[in-house]
Amino acid sequence: YSLEGLPSIGKVDVERRGPDVNDCYSWDVTFVGDVGPQPSLVADGLDLEGTVASISVATHVVGVAPPFNGPDYGSLVLTDDVDGNGLTDTLLLSAVISPLKLGTPYYFRTSAFNALGSGPTTASKPPFEMPLPQPPSYPSHVDISVKDS
């Protein structure tokens, strides 16, 4: 979809309904890749044809961002110095978080801090990841022996 090409829009799901009795269509756009409230779309009706052609934009469901403050939420501070005060290696830009529960969506926010305090948080893109069950690997170190002759 063209919306997904915009830098401020993540993955979208678009459903077209119609035509109705007047040969008109309706589209439902769901912002799948971004959580929380989204700005309204701005409709451009310059290329519409017909005697009473029009476009309207309506909000059906307002998105809600995850709370980040319940008992199941935690925080992780990346550090590589012995005192745990922060990063000295500026190339350390990733972390492995475990254990994770399969099928549970995990939302992440990042923030930087220094001697002056913490900066604002930024949601990750995509906004969440969900570990899915993986197929088992092929057997390794197989030993075949005769049990009975």
Side-chain angles (χ1 to χ4, degrees):
Y1 300 105
S2 296
L3 285 172
E4 292 175 343
L6 299 173
S8 60
I9 304 294
K11 181 171 174 34
V12 296
D13 181 30
V14 179
E15 179 184 340
R16 183 176 88 165
R17 290 178 289 153
D20 64 9
V21 295
N22 297 316
D23 284 335
C24 296
Y25 294 89
S26 296
W27 285 268
D28 287 331
V29 179
T30 303
F31 296 90
V32 179
D34 289 330
V35 294
Q38 300 296 315
S40 292
L41 296 173
V42 177
D44 178 1
L46 294 178
D47 291 329
L48 292 178
E49 296 178 3
T51 55
V52 191
S54 66
I55 295 178
S56 63
V57 175
T59 301
H60 293 283
V61 177
V62 177
V64 177
F68 288 111
N69 61 354
D72 295 332
Y73 302 97
S75 61
L76 170 70
V77 176
L78 294 181
T79 180
D80 66 353
D81 72 349
V82 292
D83 297 324
N85 293 325
L87 291 174
T88 57
D89 182 359
T90 58
L91 298 177
L92 181 61
L93 300 176
S94 65
V96 176
I97 302 169
S98 64
L100 301 177
K101 296 177 186 173
L102 295 178
T104 301
Y106 288 89
Y107 295 83
F108 297 93
R109 296 186 303 178
T110 59
S111 174
F113 69 94
N114 59 22
L116 300 177
S118 294
T121 60
T122 302
S124 62
K125 295 272 185 181
F128 70 91
E129 286 294 333
M130 184 170 20
L132 299 174
Q134 300 296 313
S137 62
Y138 293 107
S140 60
H141 308 294
V142 176
D143 183 26
I144 300 175
S145 61
V146 176
K147 294 289 185 182
D148 192 1
S149 53

